[in-house]
Amino acid sequence: MLYDKVYFVEELCHTKGGCLVMEQYKSIALIDSGVGGLTVVKELIHQLPHENIVYFGDTAHMPYGPRPYEQVRGFVYEILDFLKTQEIKLVIIACNTAASAGLHYYQEKIDLPLIGVIEPGVRAAIRQTRNNKIGVIGTTGTIESGAYRDVFNRLAPGIQLYSQPCPLFVLIVENGLVGSPEAVRVAEEYLRPLKIAGIDTLILGCTHYPLMSDVIEKVMGPGVKLISSAEETAREAKRILGEKGLLRGGIREASNRRFFVSGPAKPFADLAQNLIGGTIRVYQVILPW
Ligand code: DGL
């Protein structure tokens, strides 16, 4: 495993100085507050194995969930500026909290296709439910924003939606405590109202949550299907790139994956290694914010 520290963003960009990167060779960029967006990376690798990937985990500011929306948007703007130096062709806001703070704000800042993770998850849940009772769990920011409710109202107003914030889940994942008895206790507490409501489908409305799906599944029982937006989001990315003729499919050279974090590299690299495998190259970026 390799760790690198890049203290000056310019230094990294310099290695690319002046060379023209073909559109298809450009990378898919993903943004999250930490390791959560790696669940989307994993699915991208599965569906689009030839694509180059640039990932930014804003671990210095994690968790995003309890922060005001303006502040989260401010962090994402800075990350978008950084990503503009990285030869990218599509941006995935792989963080429900950041997406809930308003995808349209980010789209104004960057002239590239940009997608989030909320609508893909909702579409998958609508296809899945049989009793039209769907639960969504997420960070406090995501649930309070009403972003999921808005998308359901637009796509399937007849669905009964039950929302539940689960703020401690992100900290459990980032601190490697998924297998602990505390994780089960916390999950039982958070998920009780959703069990009582009789939902048959549960959206994991935070990209960190698929990393604790074993616990959530155990607590909810076999009658409840969990929906991770990762798979649907990767499918959406594939569709958009395909329509624009930007897929890198068929190119034989190995794909390039770069992971940037704003906090220490090692804890992120360890979690990423577990989830994705192979050599994980993590750069710590000290950005001016
Ligand atoms: N993984 C993110 C999400 O999907 C952010 C969690 C956090 O930083 O609170 O909401």
Side-chain angles (χ1 to χ4, degrees), residues 108-119:
E108 281 167 16
K109 295 274 175 192
I110 193 155
D111 190 21
L112 284 173
L114 179 142
I115 58 176
V117 279
I118 294 179
E119 200 166 315

Side-chain angles (χ1 to χ4, degrees), residues 32-37 61-66 94-98 117 138-140 142 167 170 174 205-209:
D32 182 43
S33 62
V35 294
H61 299 117
M62 191 275 307
Y64 277 3
C95 171
N96 290 262
T97 313
V117 279
T139 65
T140 307
T142 297
V170 169
E174 292 278 345
C206 170
T207 50
H208 280 72
Y209 297 179

Side-chain angles (χ1 to χ4, degrees), residues 5 7-8 11 18 51 53 58 61 89 120 149 212 221 237 242 254 257 288:
K5 278 198 170 193
Y7 288 101
F8 300 105
E11 219 170 88
E51 293 297 333
I53 287 174
D58 191 7
H61 299 117
K89 58 184 176 183
R149 187 163 298 284
M212 56 183 289
R257 294 176 199 138

